[in-house]
Amino acid sequence: MKTLKELVRPNIFALKPYSCARNEFTGEASVYLDANENPLNGPYNRYPDPLQLELKAKIARMKGVRIEQIMLGNGSDEPIDLIVRIFCEPKEDNIVAIAPSYGMYEVCADVNNVEYRKVMLNDDFTLDAAKLLAAVDKKTKVIFLCSPNNPTGNLLNRKEMLKVVEGFDGIVVIDEAYIDFASEESWLKDLDRYKNLIVLQTFSKAWGLAAVRCGMAFASEEIMGYFNKVKYPYNINLLTQQFVNEQIDMIERKKGWVKMLLEQRDRLVNAFEAMPLVKKVYPTDANFVLIKVDDANGVYKSLMEKGVIVRNRNNVSLCGGCLRITVGTAEENDTLLAEIQK
Ligand SMILES: *Cc1c(COP(=O)(O)O)cnc(C)c1O
């Protein structure tokens, strides 16, 4: 791996971060007159902890990582954008990513005027590490992998991913937004071994907290130093910090949801496989199923007219004829299956 001095943009490497009042004094005091806050309307009058240490301590215990290896963002979308801004010099550096995959990587690259090189997965959506690495040149700073991948639903093969992690001298991002639904383990336990790894997870899917906007990035302490320098100081508000903290205490409820959704996923897969209309059901390790039908636009439209909205992926490369269907409650899936049969 290259050194972080070689990988981080020179202006970010040299950046002196904004020092906020809550950074300069972190202990306990009786009178706070340092941050121009209103003394009334507690606790909302006070700026929140910029490093969210209480919440991170709980996440660290849950995930088996150190507090300093965690960054929390406004969804995973914030760390995705920060990764581009920390490592990629606009108009100079480039990003390599699998395709099809999550749309935000390319949007963040485009916003930052960074070249985005898409490397197609194989026709069965498996990863070919050699093909991916062939797109890398000396200006490639970041590779994005997503496993389980969106919109295809499959886990990428661990050995192929390892070839990428070990064979690339820059940053490898593994987006694990759907890891709670997967039959394989997270890459989090490999963070200490591979210093170029950034793992993304989120509270938006299995935890049922998409509206709350809380995503997690995990990486070495050294990489986290750059995240903390570049992020807005108070990027996670107090309400979110407290609320997510309380939700983590209800982890058994989340596990129950995952169990129910996995049962429903199996049920949908079996039902789709029995339908003449459905030409292919792709293997899934996520909370959605990608299916191929003869007339994706037609099926999409007729479901929509019945009030059932699925995601039409017909125009996505390698996904011609495909609909991405999120696993719902038993009742919602009843409705979907009844309507799609007609
Ligand atoms: C849904 C999803 C996310 C989560 O985004 P948030 O900003 O955390 O809501 C991240 N990556 C992928 C691939 C997703 O599908």
Side-chain angles (χ1 to χ4, degrees):
M1 178 190 170
K2 286 181 181 146
T3 63
L4 280 181
K5 185 168 199 297
E6 294 168 286
L7 288 171
V8 171
R9 290 167 66 198
N11 62 312
I12 303 298
F13 190 82
L15 182 71
K16 204 172 158 298
Y18 173 70
S19 183
C20 60
R22 283 295 158 272
N23 273 339
E24 292 186 2
F25 180 84
T26 53
E28 288 291 321
S30 53
V31 182
Y32 285 99
L33 303 174
D34 59 342
N36 297 345
E37 298 150 336
N38 186 326
L40 306 174
N41 202 31
Y44 306 107
N45 59 329
R46 300 294 176 195
Y47 281 99
D49 176 4
L51 291 174
Q52 311 100 22
L53 291 177
E54 213 180 305
L55 175 54
K56 281 180 183 170
K58 195 168 272 191
I59 293 171
R61 275 198 302 280
M62 173 170 69
K63 301 286 181 184
V65 300
R66 296 183 293 282
I67 291 174
E68 297 76 19
Q69 292 176 300
I70 307 172
M71 181 264 172
L72 300 179
N74 184 331
S76 312
D77 294 344
E78 183 179 352
I80 291 168
D81 184 56
L82 287 178
I83 289 164
V84 178
R85 285 160 57 202
I86 289 168
F87 295 105
C88 302
E89 197 61 38
K91 294 202 269 188
E92 193 176 309
D93 294 329
N94 66 69
I95 292 170
V96 167
I98 57 167
S101 195
Y102 185 47
M104 271 310 286
Y105 317 139
E106 185 167 15
V107 170
C108 289
D110 287 348
V111 167
N112 290 292
N113 208 1
V114 170
E115 184 194 349
Y116 186 80
R117 300 184 175 179
K118 291 187 212 186
V119 180
M120 286 296 149
L121 293 168
N122 297 322
D123 287 341
D124 59 357
F125 302 136
T126 53
L127 171 67
D128 180 342
K131 189 174 156 198
L132 191 78
L133 289 171
V136 166
D137 65 16
K138 59 182 193 306
K139 290 293 182 186
T140 306
K141 292 293 189 67
V142 179
I143 292 180
F144 277 100
L145 301 175
C146 182
S147 179
N149 189 32
N150 179 5
T152 60
N154 59 308
L155 276 164
L156 302 179
N157 180 281
R158 206 183 157 85
K159 279 191 188 148
E160 286 299 302
M161 292 173 82
L162 194 58
K163 286 184 200 166
V164 177
V165 173
E166 290 186 330
F168 178 51
D169 60 7
I171 300 295
V172 179
V173 181
I174 302 181
D175 187 340
E176 296 187 334
Y178 300 97
I179 194 68
D180 301 82
F181 304 103
S183 55
E184 281 181 26
E185 275 191 66
S186 164
W187 282 78
L188 280 182
K189 62 180 183 341
D190 302 287
L191 278 185
D192 283 327
R193 188 144 172 215
Y194 303 109
K195 297 291 180 196
N196 58 338
L197 201 56
I198 300 177
V199 175
L200 302 179
Q201 294 186 4
T202 181
F203 286 97
S204 293
K205 306 286 157 66
W207 288 90
L209 294 170
V212 170
R213 311 306 304 133
C214 191
M216 297 164 270
F218 303 90
S220 70
E221 281 86 343
E222 211 187 344
I223 290 178
M224 280 307 153
Y226 294 100
F227 274 94
N228 288 330
K229 265 204 319 185
V230 174
K231 77 175 186 70
Y232 291 165
Y234 305 111
N235 63 323
I236 306 290
N237 69 67
L238 178 67
L239 296 172
T240 298
Q241 292 185 40
Q242 290 179 337
F243 189 71
V244 173
N245 198 320
E246 291 163 15
Q247 295 278 307
I248 292 174
D249 290 338
M250 295 188 271
I251 189 164
E252 291 307 319
R253 186 184 65 164
K254 173 223 144 190
K255 288 180 183 165
W257 289 340
V258 168
K259 186 167 173 286
M260 179 279 287
L261 291 169
L262 292 181
E263 285 162 10
Q264 288 298 315
R265 183 181 77 189
D266 284 348
R267 174 195 172 207
L268 284 184
V269 166
N270 290 333
F272 291 144
E273 275 171 352
M275 284 181 196
L277 174 96
V278 178
K279 299 301 163 206
K280 199 165 170 51
V281 184
Y282 291 93
T284 176
D285 263 282
N287 66 333
F288 57 85
V289 188
L290 190 75
I291 61 171
K292 194 192 273 286
V293 294
D294 270 336
D295 176 18
N297 292 338
V299 176
Y300 173 76
K301 198 157 160 280
S302 62
L303 282 175
M304 188 171 66
E305 281 160 2
K306 299 284 167 41
V308 178
I309 314 301
V310 300
R311 196 87 198 267
N312 187 354
R313 300 284 77 188
N314 186 41
N315 293 325
V316 174
S317 50
L318 296 186
C319 295
C322 288
L323 301 173
R324 193 194 69 191
I325 301 178
T326 308
V327 179
T329 62
E331 297 72 33
E332 289 171 329
N333 300 332
D334 289 343
T335 309
L336 166 83
L337 291 174
E339 294 301 341
I340 208 168
Q341 300 275 22
K342 290 185 191 167

